[in-house]
């Protein structure tokens, strides 16, 4: 096998664009033409293979590739000997059973029912864990809701976002979520960790943290410093430097981007001045 780290990337679909953007942000070369199947980044010791999202877990689990970016749902459904090692936080989805209200009120009511889904292995494992035995699981691609209208199945198991589509069809969610999925990095269960693979994971993790945090700088009088730090303790702790102005300090701290304005409001009330927020491109923490 090549000495380069071999990583699978989704070649299309909802996973593709965000996976490629993440890899770009982590400093890795990506393809410039959608027809390219392989890109070699010699500088970083890595080779990217662009594959169907459903196939990625199989390639990684077989040992032909070291790592891959895919969905948690696709990994579980593949039954491949691969493991999740990093959650990426995008392409999130929730899987539910759904059907007509008179068909079932709980998952236990699915005993003896036929279920249509694009993820038969996920559904089979979930039902087995709950001790429910369906009459059958029908694998369908695309809009599985049609299976109910045509009498192919009694219930469906599919991604549910707002529930608006189900309501339009006269369907209701049955029971708790089957699973919650998102984009993940996977590795073969027998694939050894290397310096290159660890660097790959650190880079991705750094980009994910950078997306969630911003740098916040402010000046504060020493008498109010403790009060200010109570609302801006930071991810790894603040950097505090004395200002030329006697009795004042300059503080730099990482804060959650989603809470930056709330924290700024609180710091102003605590006496902070010259507040400045800066986006983070990448980091290591």
């Amino acid at each position: 096998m090549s000495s380069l780290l071999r990583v699978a990337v989704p070649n299309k679909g909802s996973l593709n664009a965000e996976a490629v953007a993440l890899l770009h942000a982590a400093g890795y070369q990506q393809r410039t033409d959608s027809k390219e199947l392989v890109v070699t980044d010699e500088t970083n010791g890595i080779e990217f293979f662009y594959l169907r999202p459903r196939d990625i877990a199989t390639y990684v689990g077989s040992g032909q590739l070291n790592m891959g970016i895919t969905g948690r749902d696709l990994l579980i459904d593949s039954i491949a000997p691969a493991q999740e090692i990093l959650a990426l936080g995008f392409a999130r989805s929730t899987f539910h059973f759904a059907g007509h209200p008179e068909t079932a009120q709980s998952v236990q009511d699915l005993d003896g029912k036929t279920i249509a889904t694009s993820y038969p292995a996920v559904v089979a494992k979930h039902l087995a864990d709950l001790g429910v035995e369906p009459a059958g699981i029908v694998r369908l691609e695309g809009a599985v809701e049609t299976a109910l209208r045509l009498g192919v199945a009694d219930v469906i198991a599919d991604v549910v976002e707002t529930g608006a589509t189900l309501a339009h069809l006269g369907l209701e969610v049955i029971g708790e979520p089957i699973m919650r999925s998102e984009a993940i990095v996977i590795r073969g269960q027998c694939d050894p960790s290397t310096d290159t693979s660890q660097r790959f994971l650190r880079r991705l993790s750094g980009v994910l943290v950078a997306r969630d945090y911003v740098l916040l700088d402010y000046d504060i009088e020493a008498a109010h410093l403790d009060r200010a730090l109570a609302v801006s303790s930071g991810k790894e702790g603040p950097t505090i430097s004395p200002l030329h102005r006697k009795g004042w300090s300059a503080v730099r701290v990482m804060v959650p981007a989603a809470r930056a304005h709330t924290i700024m409001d609180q710091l102003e009330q605590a006496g902070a001045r010259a507040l400045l927020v800066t986006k983070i491109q990448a980091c290591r923490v």
Side-chain angles (χ1 to χ4, degrees):
M1 183 180 288
S2 169
S3 60
L4 298 173
L5 183 72
R6 310 178 97 194
V7 176
V9 181
N11 66 348
K12 59 182 179 180
S14 60
L15 289 167
N16 170 259
E18 293 197 66
V20 168
L22 176 63
L23 292 168
H24 264 305
Y28 292 109
Q29 180 183 339
Q30 292 294 287
R31 64 182 182 179
T32 55
D33 186 334
S34 61
K35 294 181 180 179
E36 289 184 90
L37 300 179
V38 182
V39 168
T40 302
D41 185 345
E42 294 281 1
T43 301
N44 291 300
I46 193 166
E47 198 168 21
F48 295 102
F49 293 78
Y50 299 86
L51 303 169
R52 288 179 68 248
R54 272 196 174 274
D55 296 338
I56 287 175
T58 300
Y59 279 104
V60 173
S62 71
Q64 297 304 308
L65 300 179
N66 305 108
M67 289 182 172
I69 295 176
T70 187
R72 183 178 294 127
D73 53 341
L74 298 174
L75 168 63
I76 295 174
D77 200 57
S78 72
I79 324 180
Q83 58 187 335
E84 174 181 339
I85 53 175
L86 179 65
L88 299 177
F90 60 86
R92 289 191 170 108
S93 59
T94 303
F95 289 78
H96 276 280
F97 292 109
H100 296 291
E102 64 273 13
T103 302
Q105 295 295 316
S106 69
V107 176
Q108 282 65 37
D109 294 336
L110 301 183
D111 219 58
K113 299 290 194 300
T114 301
I115 302 165
T117 182
S118 298
Y119 299 86
V122 171
V123 171
K125 181 180 184 304
H126 182 71
L127 292 177
D129 290 343
L130 296 175
V132 176
E133 296 184 12
I137 298 176
V138 180
R139 177 168 188 161
L140 296 175
E141 299 294 339
V144 296
E145 297 92 344
T146 308
L148 300 186
R149 178 173 294 183
L150 297 178
V152 174
D154 303 305
V155 172
I156 62 171
D158 202 4
V159 174
V160 175
E161 295 179 355
T162 64
T165 301
L166 293 180
H168 178 71
L169 296 169
L171 306 178
E172 293 183 357
V173 165
I174 300 169
E176 296 298 313
I178 300 167
M179 70 171 297
R180 301 184 190 277
S181 182
E182 65 182 293
I184 59 174
V185 178
I186 63 172
R187 179 171 60 201
Q189 291 179 351
C190 298
D191 197 77
S193 177
T194 65
D195 289 344
T196 306
S197 66
Q198 288 302 308
R199 182 169 64 246
F200 177 72
L201 294 174
R202 286 198 301 273
R203 285 194 183 189
L204 296 190
S205 296
V207 172
L208 296 178
V209 171
R211 288 178 174 179
D212 288 339
Y213 284 80
V214 293
L215 276 179
L216 176 58
D217 291 273
Y218 61 90
D219 299 339
I220 189 80
E221 196 172 4
H224 304 308
L225 182 58
D226 288 343
R227 182 182 172 192
L229 294 183
V231 298
S232 61
S233 57
K235 186 169 179 62
E236 295 291 329
T239 298
I240 304 173
S241 306
L243 286 176
H244 181 68
R245 183 180 179 183
K246 187 175 180 180
W248 283 71
S249 297
V251 180
R252 165 166 282 191
V253 64
M254 287 175 65
V255 300
R259 297 189 58 243
H261 285 283
T262 299
I263 292 172
M264 290 173 73
D265 292 339
Q266 295 171 335
L267 288 172
E268 277 190 307
Q269 293 173 359
R273 299 292 180 267
L275 290 90
L276 176 66
V277 169
T278 308
K279 287 186 176 180
I280 305 171
Q281 293 286 354
C283 65
R284 297 287 194 279
V285 293

